[in-house]
Amino acid sequence: MICKEENILKVLREDLLQLEDILACMVVRKNLEGIVPPREEFKADASEIGDVLKDTMNEFFDAIKRYSKYGLDKVTFEMGKNDVMFFILPGSDTALVAIVPAMANRGLLEVELESARSRIIKILETDEA
């Protein structure tokens, strides 16, 4: 039986990291706790903002926790040449997070990330493992 974490990693690896414009992705909460593929699976451009990202993301997770009760669903911020996109998992302090180039087709990526978020929610809702 495959556990939920493995199923979520499969979504991240096979559905998102295969896309050219997804530099890195993870399902995490504050302090980057959660499900993160190994860094070597991320594209090189993602490492440019890695050190600053954790602190910045922690500040966003504070806002997510505060405002998700009001229906906050997505948050995107620009950081240098990249955008960081948060797709919040309902009723939680956790989000699907993706780092993408700032010049990427955000509309197309939002469709892919929304689809991945839906699959992750279904995995989390199952009673197995």
Side-chain angles (χ1 to χ4, degrees), residues 10 15 19 30 34 36 41 45 66 76 84 101 117-118 124-125:
K10 184 176 179 181
D15 296 345
L19 298 172
K30 192 170 182 177
V36 182
E41 294 182 24
D45 292 348
R66 190 173 315 126
T76 300
V84 182
R117 174 171 56 176
S118 294
L124 292 170
E125 288 174 344

Side-chain angles (χ1 to χ4, degrees), residues 9 12-13 17 25-27 35-42:
L9 272 171
L12 296 175
R13 286 179 169 141
L17 286 173
C25 60
M26 57 203 80
V27 175
I35 302 169
V36 182
R39 284 189 176 262
E40 56 269 9
E41 294 182 24
F42 295 161

Side-chain angles (χ1 to χ4, degrees), residues 68 72-73 87-95 117 121 124-125:
S68 62
L72 182 66
D73 187 48
F87 281 68
I88 301 151
L89 302 181
S92 75
D93 61 350
T94 303
R117 174 171 56 176
I121 291 168
L124 292 170
E125 288 174 344

Side-chain angles (χ1 to χ4, degrees), residues 8-23:
I8 291 170
L9 272 171
K10 184 176 179 181
V11 170
L12 296 175
R13 286 179 169 141
E14 294 178 9
D15 296 345
L16 296 178
L17 286 173
Q18 298 301 316
L19 298 172
E20 181 180 341
D21 283 335
I22 301 282
L23 305 177

